[in-house]
Amino acid sequence: MSIADEVGRIPLVAEADINAPWNGHDTRVLVIAGIGIAIIVALIVGLKMHAFLALTIGALFVGLGSGIAPGLVTKSYENGVGSVLGYVGVLIALGAMIGKLLADSGGADQVVDTLLRGRPAALPWKMALIAFIIGIPMFFEIGLVLLIPVVMLAVRRTGAKAMLLGIPALAGLSVLHGFVPPHPGPLAAIGVLKGNVGITLALGLLVAIPTVIVAGPLFGRLAAKWVPIGAAGAALEVSGGAPQDGDGGTQVRTRTRTPSFTATLVTVLSPVVLMLLKAASDVWMSKDNALFPVLQFIGDPVTALLIAVLLAMYTFGTAVGFGIPELSKKIAASLLPIAGVMLIVGAGGGFKQVLVDGGTGTAIAKIAIALNLSALVLGWIVAVLIRLATGSATVATVTAAGIVAPLAAGQSTAHLSLVVLAIGAGSLFFSHVNDAGFWLVKEYFGMTVGETIKTWSVMETIISVMGLGLTLLLSAFL
C-alpha cells in the first residue's frame, strides 16, 4: 500500500471498527503479532536465517493466525511488498546510482574533504546539520540513500566509528520525517485534525532542533561505544569501495579530473531543491497556477532523483573523463549490492501490511481509547502502540489522528499543532523488525539485528520520548 493509500484508507478503518466492543479476535491478533515478531527474531538471531526468508515466514504466520482468509494471506503480504518496493525500491535504486557516480568520480572525496576541515570533533555536528537541512523537504528513505554513502566514506577516511557519524545523520532525517510538513505523516494528521500547516511547521522546527542535538551527536557518542563498528555494509559497496579489476564499472583510474565542490554540491542537492519547490507550491501556490503542475512533476521524489541521476552522469561522468560505456557499467554495478537490501525492505513492508490487514492496529487503538487521556498524551500513546504493532510511522500517525480528532475538536490552532507533533513523536517510537526502515539501516551499515536495536531503535525511542516532552513543555506556554 502506497503512502497515498495509507493516508486515504486508515482513518476509514479506524472509524468503522474502533468503537466496537473488545472481543476475542482483538486479543488473538495481539498475541499472534507478538509471537510473529518473536519468530522473526529467533530465525534471524538463533538460526542465522536470511532476513528476507524470516520476515516472509513471520508474515504468513501472522496472517493465518490473525484470521485472514488463507487465500488472501499471501495477497496481503504481496501488496505490502509491492507498495514498499514500488516506491522505496525505486528511490533506493536511483540513490545507489548517484552514490556510485559520486564516489567513483571523486565527488564524495570533495564533500568529505570539506567536512573534515576544522576540528574533527565538529564532524558529527556537521552531519546532523546537513541531514536536518536535507530532511526538511526530503522523505527519510531518499535522504538515507543519498547521505549514507558520504557518511561511510567519511568513516573510512577518518577512522571514526560508523555510529559516531551515522547516528547524527539518521537523527536529522528521522526527526524531520516525523515532525515537519511536507512529510506525509504530519500533513495527514494536520488534515484529519484540521490544523494549520504553517504553525505546525514553526512549532515542529522548535521541537526538532533540540531533539536532533540530543538524539544525534550526543547519543551518537554513546552508540559508537555500544556498537564500535567501522566502515562496512551495503552503503560502502554502493559508494564504490576499493577498485576491483574485471568489471570496468568500479575502476576509477580512467578518470582524468575531479568534479569541483560546487558541481558536487549542486548535483547532490538538486533533488532537495526540486522537492523543496514542490513543497513550497503545495503551501503557497494556487492549483490554478500554470506553474503548479510543473513543480508537482519535477518535485516528485522519483522525478527529482531521476533528474539528479542524469545530471550526475554529466557532472560525475563525462565531465570528469568517463565514457558512456563506463557510465553504463558503473550504473549497472551500483545495483548489485542493493538487491538484498531491497528484498529485505520489501519483506518488512509485507510483514507490516499483514499486521494492518489482520486488525492489530485496530485492537491497539481500542486499548488506547479505554485509557481516557488528554488528546495530546492519548495521541502519543496510540501512535506508539500502533507503531510497535505495525511498524509503519504513517499508519500510526493517521490512525492516531483519527482516534483523537473528537477530543481535539474546538481546541486552539496552536494546540492542534502540538497534538500533531505529539502523534508524530509517538509514530517514531522504537523501530524494530516489522519496520522496513529498520532493515534499510541494518543493511546499509552492515549491522546485526542486535546492533541495529542498540543504535537505531534506541535513537528512535529517544526522539519519540523527547519529542513528547518538548511538546508538553510548549503546551504549558501556549
Side-chain angles (χ1 to χ4, degrees):
M1 189 165 57
S2 66
I3 286 176
D5 292 333
E6 289 180 342
V7 171
R9 173 185 171 187
I10 295 303
L12 297 179
V13 173
E15 290 168 3
D17 301 326
I18 206 67
N19 292 315
W22 183 268
N23 53 53
H25 178 264
D26 296 319
T27 302
R28 182 175 70 177
V29 295
L30 291 179
V31 172
I32 290 296
I35 295 174
I37 292 170
I39 287 174
I40 292 171
V41 173
L43 290 175
I44 296 172
V45 177
L47 299 182
K48 308 301 180 185
M49 182 178 287
H50 192 276
F52 172 75
L53 292 175
L55 283 164
T56 302
I57 293 170
L60 297 180
F61 169 82
V62 169
L64 291 171
S66 297
I68 299 176
L72 297 178
V73 171
T74 55
K75 184 66 175 177
S76 175
Y77 171 76
E78 290 164 5
N79 287 342
V81 173
S83 67
V84 170
L85 292 185
Y87 176 71
V88 177
V90 174
L91 302 182
I92 293 173
L94 292 172
M97 294 175 190
I98 297 172
K100 178 69 172 174
L101 295 176
L102 175 68
D104 285 2
S105 68
D109 292 292
Q110 288 279 25
V111 175
V112 173
D113 288 341
T114 304
L115 287 173
L116 292 179
R117 292 173 188 168
R119 296 185 303 112
L123 190 54
W125 297 90
K126 292 178 182 178
M127 287 292 182
L129 178 62
I130 292 171
F132 189 90
I133 294 171
I134 287 178
I136 292 175
M138 190 176 287
F139 293 155
F140 173 81
E141 295 89 350
I142 311 168
L144 187 67
V145 298
L146 289 178
L147 273 182
I148 297 308
V150 176
V151 170
M152 297 303 279
L153 184 59
V155 169
R156 186 174 60 184
R157 290 276 302 278
T158 62
K161 301 302 181 185
M163 291 298 100
L164 185 65
L165 305 185
I167 287 294
L170 293 172
L173 294 173
S174 184
V175 166
L176 272 296
H177 177 75
F179 293 159
V180 178
H183 291 279
L187 275 181
I190 289 169
V192 172
L193 296 171
K194 297 179 174 58
N196 181 279
V197 173
I199 292 176
T200 305
L201 175 61
L203 293 176
L205 290 174
L206 281 178
V207 173
I209 292 171
T211 303
V212 169
I213 290 172
V214 174
L218 297 183
F219 173 65
R221 297 178 184 176
L222 185 59
K225 294 179 180 178
W226 287 352
V227 182
I229 61 172
L236 188 63
E237 299 176 67
V238 170
S239 66
Q244 298 173 13
D245 294 329
D247 68 359
T250 53
Q251 293 277 5
V252 296
R253 59 173 175 262
T254 56
R255 189 181 77 219
T256 59
R257 48 196 172 275
T258 300
S260 66
F261 178 73
T262 300
T264 301
L265 204 61
V266 167
T267 304
V268 172
L269 293 183
S270 60
V272 180
V273 173
L274 292 174
M275 284 184 279
L276 189 56
L277 288 173
K278 177 184 181 296
S281 71
D282 289 331
V283 177
W284 290 301
M285 186 176 289
S286 168
K287 293 183 180 180
D288 297 328
N289 192 307
L291 195 58
F292 182 81
V294 176
L295 294 178
Q296 292 291 304
F297 177 71
I298 65 174
D300 181 85
V302 173
T303 309
L305 276 173
L306 177 60
I307 291 172
V309 170
L310 297 176
L311 179 59
M313 291 177 69
Y314 170 71
T315 56
F316 300 152
T318 57
V320 300
F322 292 132
I324 298 300
E326 285 177 292
L327 281 177
S328 297
K329 290 179 180 179
K330 288 181 182 299
I331 288 174
S334 73
L335 299 177
L336 296 177
I338 63 170
V341 175
M342 288 201 291
L343 282 174
I344 293 170
V345 170
F351 183 59
K352 177 268 297 182
Q353 192 59 48
V354 169
L355 288 169
V356 172
D357 291 343
T360 304
T362 300
I364 291 292
K366 287 182 180 180
I367 295 175
I369 283 183
L371 297 176
N372 195 27
L373 299 171
S374 69
L376 197 150
V377 176
L378 179 62
W380 184 82
I381 292 175
V382 173
V384 165
L385 294 174
I386 296 177
R387 160 72 157 178
L388 290 172
T390 68
S392 171
T394 304
V395 171
T397 298
V398 181
T399 306
I403 290 169
V404 303
L407 293 176
Q411 296 185 0
S412 68
T413 303
H415 194 78
L416 286 175
S417 294
L418 292 178
V419 174
V420 171
L421 296 178
I423 291 171
S427 74
L428 299 176
F429 191 89
F430 197 76
S431 164
H432 61 97
V433 297
N434 60 356
D435 178 16
F438 177 94
W439 300 102
L440 200 60
V441 171
K442 174 188 176 298
E443 295 301 311
Y444 267 172
F445 281 97
M447 295 188 288
T448 65
V449 169
E451 289 172 339
T452 310
I453 290 174
K454 288 180 182 178
T455 53
W456 161 254
S457 301
V458 172
M459 183 206 77
E460 289 281 84
T461 304
I462 292 171
I463 291 172
S464 180
V465 173
M466 189 165 178
L468 174 65
L470 291 172
T471 302
L472 290 171
L473 181 63
L474 285 174
S475 70
F477 295 96
L478 296 176

